[in-house]
Amino acid sequence: MRWLLTLVAALSVDVYHLASTPVQFQNVSLFWSPQTFTLVHSATEAVLVDAPIVAENGTDLANWISKTAPGKTLKYVYITHAHGDHFNSFPQILAKFPGAQVVATKGVIDHLPTQYEPPTWDGLWQALFPDVQQANLSLVKPLSSSADFFINGKSNKKFEFRAILVGEGDTTHSTVMYVPSIDLVVGGDVVYGHCYQWLVENLTPQLRSQWIASLDQVKALRPKVVVPSHTQEQEGFGPQHLQETQDYIRGWGELLAKAKKWQELEALAKARWPDRIGSVVLRDSAEAFFGAAA
Ligand SMILES: *[C@@H]1O[C@H](CO)[C@@H](O)[C@H](O)[C@H]1NC(C)=O
Ligand SMILES: *[C@@H]1O[C@H](CO)[C@@H](O)[C@H](O)[C@H]1NC(C)=O
Ligand SMILES: *[C@@H]1O[C@H](CO)[C@@H](O)[C@H](O)[C@H]1NC(C)=O
Ligand SMILES: [Zn+2]
């Protein structure tokens, strides 16, 4: 008798990298951060994590999926958190993959409409990306309370995807996507690479401590591969991103104690993290702490 065990994880991970783009903000030329969108696929099915804000970038991502996982069925588009730059072009993904389901946790879904209301829609998204169009949010479906979903591989093998509700990240009700069989975490905006971190929604020390605690939750999963959503192309996907994101939050608190106006905070941050990019995120964050944001 022969016992045949095929227990080897048969999932592939590919990352689409959207380059940093020049933007106008309060009549100043600055840069939007680069972004990643992660495709996890078995021999037959696939999951996409997040979608860009601009429609033509969503179309480019959809075309990239066809090339990267030819013939495979895109089952899910998972939205990590309710920021426009992580979901708004999902209709362009659905246009190419009409069978896919766009899913998120209930907490994220409840928070999505804030992106289409003032001051975020007009003051941020339309200001930075003048051609931006709103998506039909009723197409986003809540995950069951277990927050697990699955895709199939060969021989009826099932692969688990687990939404981890960490809570505070750079926004409220943040999640990361955990794929236990390959020790993968797709970090959304809980985990940053070397890009300035969005602190506009973390004005109090309590909120910043909660974000740090969320990163401790992710560390406890002991992931081997960690994909931050805002990261530079050459950085790689190691777990060091978790510690570095925490160091930035603590460092920001130190700079805040020294700065007397937003211009000083911005200059101190540039000096402390000269290798980080995404200057519009730094500008808006620095202004927010002194009540000067648009
Ligand atoms: C930007 O420039 C335009 C035209 O020069 C001006 O009308 C507007 O008030 C400026 N906006 C800001 C936020 O400075
Ligand atoms: C993303 O969209 C911008 C327009 O906002 C465009 O200039 C850029 O080329 C697009 N990038 C890709 C990879 O399609
Ligand atoms: C949004 O999608 C829902 C569900 O498919 C549909 O019933 C509704 O008509 C759509 N709304 C618009 C404005 O397209
Ligand atoms: Zn983001």
Side-chain angles (χ1 to χ4, degrees):
M1 187 181 219
R2 193 166 163 219
W3 301 81
L4 182 63
L5 299 176
T6 43
L7 293 174
V8 182
L11 284 180
S12 305
V13 183
D14 284 280
V15 177
Y16 174 98
H17 200 270
L18 185 60
S20 174
T21 47
V23 291
Q24 293 289 312
F25 184 65
Q26 299 164 350
N27 288 349
V28 180
S29 295
L30 296 168
F31 283 89
W32 184 247
S33 298
Q35 288 192 249
T36 63
F37 302 93
T38 302
L39 188 72
V40 183
H41 46 118
S42 71
T44 53
E45 298 184 342
V47 174
L48 173 68
V49 183
D50 289 344
I53 185 150
V54 174
E56 70 177 284
N57 295 158
T59 301
D60 193 70
L61 173 58
N63 291 334
W64 173 87
I65 294 169
S66 301
K67 273 186 240 138
T68 303
K72 298 184 185 178
T73 304
L74 183 67
K75 295 285 283 190
Y76 297 101
V77 179
Y78 176 73
I79 299 171
T80 56
H81 67 289
H83 272 165
D85 58 323
H86 296 266
F87 69 84
N88 192 59
S89 70
F90 73 75
Q92 281 68 41
I93 308 295
L94 289 180
K96 185 120 191 162
F97 300 99
Q101 269 191 65
V102 185
V103 294
T105 60
K106 172 116 182 12
V108 169
I109 288 177
D110 290 345
H111 197 49
L112 291 174
T114 63
Q115 299 299 292
Y116 293 163
E117 291 159 8
T120 305
W121 179 250
D122 52 343
L124 187 67
W125 300 130
Q126 279 188 315
L128 297 179
F129 305 103
D131 299 330
V132 72
Q133 300 285 327
Q134 297 186 356
N136 182 348
L137 295 180
S138 63
L139 298 172
V140 184
K141 301 298 177 200
L143 289 172
S144 67
S145 56
S146 74
D148 268 18
F149 57 95
F150 296 85
I151 62 171
N152 292 315
K154 278 205 176 123
S155 318
N156 290 325
K157 186 164 171 58
K158 280 194 179 314
F159 296 100
E160 181 191 5
F161 290 70
R162 203 181 296 166
I164 309 288
L165 288 66
V166 295
E168 193 65 16
D170 78 351
T171 189
T172 184
H173 297 293
S174 290
T175 76
V176 304
M177 171 51 59
Y178 177 44
V179 187
S181 61
I182 52 173
D183 297 309
L184 168 71
V185 162
V186 184
D189 279 358
V190 176
V191 190
Y192 272 70
H194 291 180
C195 297
Y196 295 112
Q197 296 176 205
W198 174 261
L199 281 146
V200 174
E201 296 172 59
N202 292 275
L203 298 182
T204 67
Q206 289 75 17
L207 286 168
R208 293 195 294 281
S209 297
Q210 286 174 28
W211 187 356
I212 289 169
S214 297
L215 284 150
D216 283 336
Q217 281 187 63
V218 181
K219 281 180 175 176
L221 300 169
R222 302 196 170 281
K224 295 197 177 79
V225 184
V226 176
V227 185
S229 72
H230 297 286
T231 193
Q232 299 183 47
E233 200 158 12
Q234 74 285 357
E235 284 186 63
F237 304 115
Q240 82 282 357
H241 292 301
L242 301 169
Q243 183 64 47
E244 288 178 2
T245 306
Q246 290 179 319
D247 292 345
Y248 187 101
I249 301 165
R250 292 194 175 99
W252 184 269
E254 291 163 25
L255 303 185
L256 191 57
K258 291 184 194 152
K260 289 180 196 64
K261 48 186 184 172
W262 70 259
Q263 292 89 340
E264 286 176 15
L265 182 55
E266 182 184 72
L268 286 166
K270 281 188 173 166
R272 178 144 178 175
W273 296 291
D275 59 327
R276 295 222 177 196
I277 61 172
S279 52
V280 73
V281 174
L282 175 58
R283 172 65 52 91
D284 208 7
S285 297
E287 286 185 347
F289 280 80
F290 292 88

